[in-house]
Amino acid sequence: MAFSLLSRVWKPVAAACVSVGLLAGCGADDGAAEEGSADVVQISDGVEVSVSPETDAKPVVSVPSGEEPPKALFTFDVVEGSGTEAKAGDSVAVQYAGFNWSNGKEFDASWNRGAQPFSVSPLGSAPVIQGWNDGLVGAQVGDRRLIVIPPELGYGAQGAGGVIGPNETLVFVVDVVSINGKS
């Protein structure tokens, strides 16, 4: 079974993975997008996140240091896909990378586990954080979607397994591979 930090039942697995060093943190300096190689997304007045647009590779993301995160769910398609939009009840296969807003560190990425996409099904009530159930609605195959998730739609006051702090805003870059098995 593939490890996924998004699963609601992941804590024991995450603790084991952290103890053997499987969760690689990548700080803002290590993973900062190089100038000219990233799309800059305006989150709010003066607050920007940069995301590399190449969907055939793990995203390079730069989260602003010291800036206030958005209070509501934020989604933006860095790369726009095509076809039918994902809706409640669909099965959406994705590749993703997740980062903490507070320090820009990567806490999980499906890309680190090879080419096997992660399945979110059924969308709307999948066993993932609510920010994913809400943030993937309307996505299309080929999208590289930036999803910024406030704590109440993520892991809330409890945080998650030592890699996501209490009341942490989460930044995900999600590449939609297929919807209902259609790429």
Side-chain angles (χ1 to χ4, degrees):
M1 176 193 301
F3 165 74
S4 170
L5 194 55
L6 295 174
S7 172
R8 289 184 181 150
V9 295
W10 76 278
K11 283 185 181 184
V13 175
C17 288
V18 168
S19 71
V20 296
L22 293 176
L23 287 176
C26 125
D29 291 337
D30 296 336
E34 294 178 21
E35 196 169 324
S37 67
D39 288 352
V40 176
V41 179
Q42 185 83 22
I43 302 292
S44 61
D45 190 31
V47 179
E48 300 172 336
V49 171
S50 64
V51 179
S52 60
E54 299 79 20
T55 59
D56 60 345
K58 181 178 170 182
V60 176
V61 177
S62 179
V63 178
S65 177
E67 297 290 343
E68 277 296 310
K71 301 291 183 208
L73 181 69
F74 176 89
T75 63
F76 181 83
D77 291 333
V78 176
V79 174
E80 292 187 24
S82 62
T84 304
E85 293 184 356
K87 63 186 178 320
D90 284 347
S91 177
V92 182
V94 302
Q95 289 279 26
Y96 68 90
F99 304 83
N100 291 314
W101 181 278
S102 64
N103 61 15
K105 289 189 184 267
E106 178 184 299
F107 58 80
D108 187 27
S110 64
W111 291 94
N112 298 343
R113 294 183 293 281
Q116 185 65 31
F118 178 78
S119 180
V120 180
S121 181
L123 186 60
S125 60
V128 294
I129 57 176
Q130 192 58 44
W132 269 52
N133 277 305
D134 297 344
L136 285 173
V137 171
Q140 298 173 296
V141 172
D143 277 359
R144 172 160 275 188
R145 182 168 278 198
L146 171 66
I147 306 174
V148 182
I149 302 173
E152 61 275 8
L153 296 177
Y155 293 100
Q158 75 274 3
V163 293
I164 298 173
N167 298 311
E168 180 70 64
T169 295
L170 308 174
V171 178
F172 282 96
V173 177
V174 181
D175 296 335
V176 179
V177 176
S178 69
I179 299 173
N180 296 326
K182 297 177 183 165
S183 348

